[in-house]
Amino acid sequence: MAQMTMIQAITDALRTELKNDENVLVFGEDVGVNGGVFRATEGLQKEFGEDRVFDTPLAESGIGGLAVGLSLQGFRPVPEIQFFGFVFEVMDSIAGQLARMRFRTGGAFNAPVTIRSPFGGGVHTPEMHADSLELLMTSTPGIKVVIPSTPYDAKGLLISAIRDNDPVIFLEHMKLYRSFRGEVPEEEYTIPLGKADVKREGKDLTIIAYGAMVHESLKAAEELEKEGHSVEVIDLRTVQPLDIETIIASVEKTNRAMVVQEAQKQAGIAANIVAEITERAILSLEAPVLRVTAPDTVFPFSQAETVWLPNSKDIVNTAKKVLTF
Amino acid sequence: MAANNPAQLDPMKTLHEIEEKFEMFQILNEDGEIVNEQANPNLSDEELVELMSRMVYTRILDQRSISLNRQGRLGFYAPTAGQEASQLASQFALEKEDFILPGYRDVPQIVWHGLPLWQAFLFSRGHFMGNQIPEGVNVFPPQIIIGAQFIQAAGVALGMQKRGKKSIAISYTGDGGSSQGDFYEGINFAGAFRVPAVFIVQNNQFAISTPRELQTAAKTIAQKGIAAGIPSVLVDGMDPLAVYAATKDARERAIKGDGPSLIETVCYRYGPHTMAGDDPTRYRTSETDSEWEKKDPIVRFRKYLETKGIWNEEKEAEVIEKAKEEIKEAVKKADAAPKQKVTDLINIMYEENPYNLDEQLAYYTEKESK
C-alpha cells in the first residue's frame, strides 16, 4: 500500500472522481496551473484539461454562486475556498442557497457540491486563515460537514463527499496536510459520511474529537494509559450529521465522556455533543461531560497560537477531572 | 430622445468605444524622459529627491524583509519590489489627515503615512501590537480579506463628508481584488454618496498565480469605474510622476466635492505573492520578469533625477545606509516588545470580560505561567 500525506490523499481522491465522473468539476483560486496554494490540485489541470479543472477570478462569493449554477446544469462541482477564514465572503451561497436548494424546490433540484477548504491552527498563518468555523456550517441545516484526521480517511471521505447528492463542506486541517504519512490504498474506496471511527478502544473514558484534536487526544490517551486509565478515542470524521450511535454506545460502555475541539468554547460543536449525550444517556453517566476547547477569543495572532490551541496536556488535565469525579 | 435613438442596436460598438478611451497615462518613460510635459506635476527638486529617497528606502526594506523572513525573524510578508511608484507616489500625493485603508501588500504606504516601522514588523510577526495604530496616524491595519477595505473606504469618506473635513479616504487593492463583490460595492457606494474617496487598483498582473486576463473580460480595470459613474484613469504604475499626478488630481476633485475616483496603476510584483511558499516560476516566465524589470520605477526615476543634477550615487548610498540602519533599529525595537500572551488577547476582546472570558483568563494565566 502507498504511503501518502493527507494532501496527496486528497489529490488522489480528486483524481479518482475526475476520472470516474465527467460531471465532476474542480475550480477555485489558483487551483489550475499553480495546483492550489497547498498543491492539493497539483497536476490535475494538466491531466484533465482546463474544461474540468480551472482557475476562477478572485471572488469567494463568485465561486459559491458558480457552484450553485453549475449544479443546476447537472454538474458535480468541487470548488476550493482557498482558506476557510474567507468563508464569510461566500456565506450566502453556502447557507442561504446551497443548503436550501433541495428544501426550497421540494426536491426538484439538489446541489451535489463539495466545497473543500483548508483551516486549522498551528501553522502560523496571518489572520483570517486558520479559524475553526465549522460551527457556522453545522448550525446550517441542509449541509454536511466532514473533517478528516488521517490520509486514509481523507481519501475515502472525499470520494464519498463528491458522490453525495447534497452539499458537503470538506474541511482540511492545514497542520495535518504534511505532518505525517499514512497507508492509503491506490485503488478507490469510500468511507460513509456520518460514520465515526473509534481510533482507540478503552473502557474508562470516552474522548470525542475531530480533526487535529484526534491526534492530541490519542497522545493524551497514551499518557493516561501509563497511569492505568483505559481511554477510548472517537474520531467523528463527520461533524454534521453526528454518528450518535457510536457516541452513545461508547458512553454506555465507559460511563464517562469528554469532548475536545480546536474551536472556541462558544463555537459549540462540543456543546451539542454534550447535549446529545445528556439527553440520551444521562443514566449511564458517572461524571459530567466536560469540554476541552480554545478560549473564546478571535483566533489569535500567530505568535500566541501554540498556547491558545488545546493540547494533550489540557486534555489530560480535564480527563483526570472526569475520571476522578 | 427620438433624434438620438440609434437606428440599430450595436452594443459591441459602444463597448469598443469605451474601451478605446482608456489609454495609458504616462509622464516619465522607461528611459527617464518626460514624455508628457503638459501633465508634469512640477514637483520641486526637494520633493523629487524625497520621493526618490522613499522609493530607494522601500526597495531596501523589501530586500531586508525578505531576508529577515528567511531567517525566521519576520512572519507573514508580501513582497513589494516593482510597486514602489504605485505605492509611494500615490501616498506622496496625500496629506497627513487623509486616511489610508491598505491591503496586506500595502505596508509601505502606511509606514510612510506614519506607522512606526517596528510596528509593521510586529504585524508581520503576528503580534497584536503591530495593529495598535498610534493616535494621529490616519491608517487602518492591512486588510486580509481581499477587497473588504474598498467598502470601508466609502464609509470613512462618507464620515469625512458628514464631518465637513477637507480630507479623503484612499484604499488599495490589486487586480485580483477588483473581481470581488466588495470592489464593486465600494466604488458604487462611494459614487452614490459622492464621497471624497480614491480607489487604487495596483494591477501587478498576477493574483497569486492567476494572470490578469483570467480575472475579467474587461480590457482594463479602470473602465469598471465607468459603470459606477465615477471618473477613472489607467496609469503607468511604474511611473512615479504619472501615479503622483493622477492621485493628486483625484484627491483635488474629491476635496472639491466632486466625488470619488478609480485609478488603475499598471505595474508588476518582482517577487513571490508572499514568502509562504509561493513559487512564481510555476506561473510566469523569466522573459516576462525581465521585460518588466526594464520598466523599473527606481531606474527611470534615477535617470530623470540624475539628468536634472539632483541625484547621484553618493546620495543613493546615503539613503541605503540610512534605511539599513533604521531597519536594524526597528527590528531591535520589535524584538523588545513583550511576548504576546493569550491573556493579552482575552483582554482585548471586549471592553469588559463576560464570565466565560474571566474563567478562561484564569485558566490561561496558569497555562502561561508554566
Side-chain angles (χ1 to χ4, degrees):
Chain A
M1 215 183 282
Q3 289 283 321
M4 290 187 200
T5 60
M6 186 186 280
I7 199 95
Q8 288 168 331
I10 286 164
T11 313
D12 199 41
L14 291 170
R15 183 181 292 112
T16 303
E17 287 312 282
L18 279 160
K19 258 188 214 158
N20 277 338
D21 183 351
E22 61 178 18
N23 290 316
V24 170
L25 300 176
V26 170
F27 55 90
E29 293 158 8
D30 306 292
V31 302
V33 172
N34 206 36
V37 291
F38 289 101
R39 312 291 178 243
T41 54
E42 173 89 43
L44 296 181
Q45 186 177 66
K46 209 170 175 189
E47 190 174 342
F48 297 96
E50 291 177 25
D51 267 358
R52 309 274 315 278
V53 180
F54 53 93
D55 286 326
T56 63
L58 196 169
E60 291 76 23
S61 57
I63 292 167
L66 209 63
V68 174
L70 284 164
S71 60
L72 291 176
Q73 285 293 307
F75 286 97
R76 197 166 278 276
V78 188
E80 175 180 299
I81 299 298
Q82 197 160 66
F83 290 91
F84 205 57
F86 310 164
V87 72
F88 300 104
E89 294 277 319
V90 62
M91 274 306 280
D92 179 59
S93 284
I94 295 175
Q97 310 298 328
L98 283 173
R100 295 161 196 242
M101 183 103 100
R102 183 185 293 281
F103 179 81
R104 65 186 289 260
T105 65
F109 295 106
N110 64 310
V113 174
T114 300
I115 297 181
R116 294 181 36 252
S117 191
F119 82 110
V123 293
H124 297 288
T125 60
E127 301 162 78
M128 310 283 283
H129 284 63
D131 308 49
S132 285
L133 300 168
E134 55 273 15
L135 181 83
L136 293 178
M137 302 293 113
T138 60
S139 63
T140 299
I143 46 186
K144 298 178 182 175
V145 184
V146 176
I147 305 182
S149 71
T150 67
Y152 177 87
D153 287 353
K155 179 174 172 181
L157 288 166
L158 183 52
I159 292 176
S160 293
I162 294 171
R163 292 181 187 177
D164 199 277
N165 286 329
D166 287 309
V168 179
I169 307 295
F170 192 88
L171 298 175
E172 303 164 2
H173 200 290
M174 285 184 268
K175 199 168 180 200
L176 302 181
Y177 266 158
R178 292 187 169 84
S179 58
F180 66 99
R181 282 167 193 274
E183 290 198 340
V184 177
E186 276 162 76
E187 60 272 21
E188 66 174 73
Y189 61 94
T190 58
I191 294 172
L193 304 187
K195 192 85 196 92
D197 184 36
V198 178
K199 285 279 193 288
R200 179 189 171 105
E201 288 192 21
K203 52 188 194 336
D204 300 333
L205 167 69
T206 301
I207 300 181
I208 299 147
Y210 59 94
M213 287 301 123
V214 169
H215 301 281
E216 292 301 319
S217 300
L218 288 168
K219 250 189 261 171
E222 266 174 48
E223 281 305 307
L224 291 160
E225 178 84 48
K226 287 179 199 159
E227 298 176 28
H229 306 292
S230 163
V231 177
E232 180 142 307
V233 177
I234 296 179
D235 176 1
L236 290 174
R237 299 198 293 203
T238 301
V239 294
Q240 178 64 41
L242 289 174
D243 180 358
I244 208 70
E245 211 175 298
T246 300
I247 294 170
I248 298 302
S250 177
V251 172
E252 284 173 348
K253 177 176 72 171
T254 62
N255 309 114
R256 293 169 198 270
M258 57 187 278
V259 192
V260 184
Q261 70 180 23
E262 181 174 318
Q264 296 89 338
K265 196 167 199 172
Q266 72 185 69
I269 302 273
N272 184 43
I273 294 169
V274 174
E276 292 281 3
I277 294 172
T278 22
E279 282 172 9
R280 292 163 196 269
I282 193 152
L283 295 178
S284 303
L285 290 175
E286 286 179 29
V289 183
L290 298 187
R291 290 173 282 172
V292 175
T293 70
D296 292 320
T297 73
V298 172
F299 190 90
F301 298 94
S302 60
Q303 257 188 43
E305 71 179 340
T306 317
V307 181
W308 189 89
L309 292 164
N311 60 31
S312 60
K313 280 185 191 158
D314 297 316
I315 299 169
V316 168
N317 290 342
T318 302
K320 285 181 179 167
K321 284 185 203 163
V322 179
L323 284 162
T324 58
F325 183 82
Chain B
M1 179 82 192
N4 292 326
N5 190 6
Q8 269 189 324
L9 284 175
D10 197 352
M12 289 303 287
K13 183 166 159 250
T14 311
L15 174 66
H16 187 68
E17 280 172 5
I18 291 172
E19 293 199 316
E20 287 306 300
K21 298 264 189 225
F22 282 88
E23 287 174 40
M24 184 94 81
F25 176 65
Q26 188 187 59
I27 294 173
L28 191 67
N29 72 9
E30 291 174 35
D31 300 321
E33 299 156 351
I34 299 284
V35 291
N36 189 347
E37 190 54 67
Q38 202 189 334
N40 192 342
N42 293 317
L43 291 169
S44 69
D45 286 355
E46 214 174 39
E47 287 170 319
L48 290 170
V49 167
E50 175 61 21
L51 180 53
M52 177 63 179
S53 301
R54 290 183 182 194
M55 286 168 53
V56 170
Y57 189 116
T58 305
R59 180 69 60 91
I60 297 297
L61 175 60
D62 185 63
Q63 291 165 359
R64 288 296 301 144
S65 299
I66 288 170
S67 107
L68 287 164
N69 171 285
R70 290 194 174 127
Q71 298 162 30
R73 294 166 70 197
L74 271 191
F76 172 66
Y77 183 68
T80 59
Q83 297 186 213
E84 290 87 353
S86 287
Q87 297 187 325
L88 303 177
S90 56
Q91 190 278 329
F92 200 61
L94 305 180
E95 299 296 332
K96 195 173 185 301
E97 58 270 25
D98 296 335
F99 194 97
I100 303 179
L101 294 98
Y104 51 69
R105 202 180 305 284
D106 304 310
V107 173
Q109 296 97 303
I110 61 174
V111 166
W112 287 110
H113 213 59
L115 181 76
L117 188 54
W118 65 273
Q119 284 193 279
F121 287 155
L122 283 183
F123 161 75
S124 164
R125 288 178 178 182
H127 193 306
F128 75 98
M129 285 174 71
N131 285 351
Q132 284 182 318
I133 309 298
E135 183 86 34
V137 176
N138 294 312
V139 306
F140 202 52
Q143 182 55 256
I144 301 297
I145 296 303
I146 307 287
Q149 65 274 28
F150 262 42
I151 317 182
Q152 297 162 0
V156 172
L158 181 61
M160 288 171 165
Q161 185 192 63
K162 288 189 183 299
R163 298 230 180 268
K165 290 184 180 173
K166 289 287 168 207
S167 56
I168 67 158
I170 185 168
S171 191
Y172 295 86
T173 192
D175 38 320
S178 74
S179 295
Q180 285 278 31
D182 294 13
F183 164 88
Y184 296 96
E185 293 167 25
I187 60 174
N188 188 57
F189 269 50
F193 291 114
R194 211 177 166 84
V195 297
V198 175
F199 298 99
I200 297 194
V201 174
Q202 297 180 76
N203 169 8
N204 68 12
Q205 313 304 321
F206 290 89
I208 307 190
S209 72
T210 308
R212 156 60 189 85
E213 59 270 23
L214 291 187
Q215 285 300 335
T216 173
K219 192 174 161 199
T220 67
I221 294 168
Q223 76 197 54
K224 293 186 178 191
I226 299 304
I230 72 174
S232 314
V233 284
L234 179 67
V235 175
D236 179 354
M238 308 296 263
D239 170 1
L241 295 180
V243 172
Y244 176 86
T247 314
K248 192 89 180 160
D249 171 65
R251 185 182 187 278
E252 277 165 16
R253 225 177 6 255
I255 293 287
K256 269 199 309 197
D258 289 341
S261 303
L262 175 66
I263 301 171
E264 174 185 356
T265 64
V266 181
C267 58
Y268 200 68
R269 115 173 100 75
Y270 296 158
H273 166 67
T274 69
M275 296 304 294
D278 179 47
D279 173 11
T281 63
R282 292 172 77 96
Y283 53 82
R284 60 187 202 204
T285 63
S286 56
E287 287 77 30
T288 312
D289 287 350
S290 42
E291 258 171 56
W292 279 94
E293 277 161 21
K294 283 184 211 143
K295 303 178 199 237
D296 188 81
I298 296 180
V299 170
R300 73 171 80 174
F301 209 38
R302 183 188 292 125
K303 279 184 191 158
Y304 175 58
L305 266 58
E306 281 176 353
T307 311
K308 283 179 83 84
I310 56 174
W311 191 263
N312 54 37
E313 266 179 50
E314 204 177 303
K315 177 76 191 148
E316 188 154 330
E318 261 172 48
V319 173
I320 292 172
E321 206 40 55
K322 180 170 179 265
K324 286 182 175 166
E325 203 47 50
E326 289 182 8
I327 292 164
K328 207 192 284 175
E329 284 307 308
V331 170
K332 260 193 219 162
K333 204 161 173 197
D335 289 344
K339 191 173 178 291
Q340 176 176 257
K341 292 184 165 170
V342 173
T343 44
D344 298 330
L345 301 180
I346 288 175
N347 285 325
I348 55 174
M349 279 304 298
Y350 299 96
E351 197 169 6
E352 280 176 46
N353 282 345
Y355 82 94
N356 52 329
L357 283 177
D358 264 342
E359 286 174 9
Q360 289 161 10
L361 189 66
Y363 183 85
Y364 277 87
T365 303
E366 205 199 321
K367 191 172 177 181
E368 286 178 327
S369 71
K370 284 171 193 164

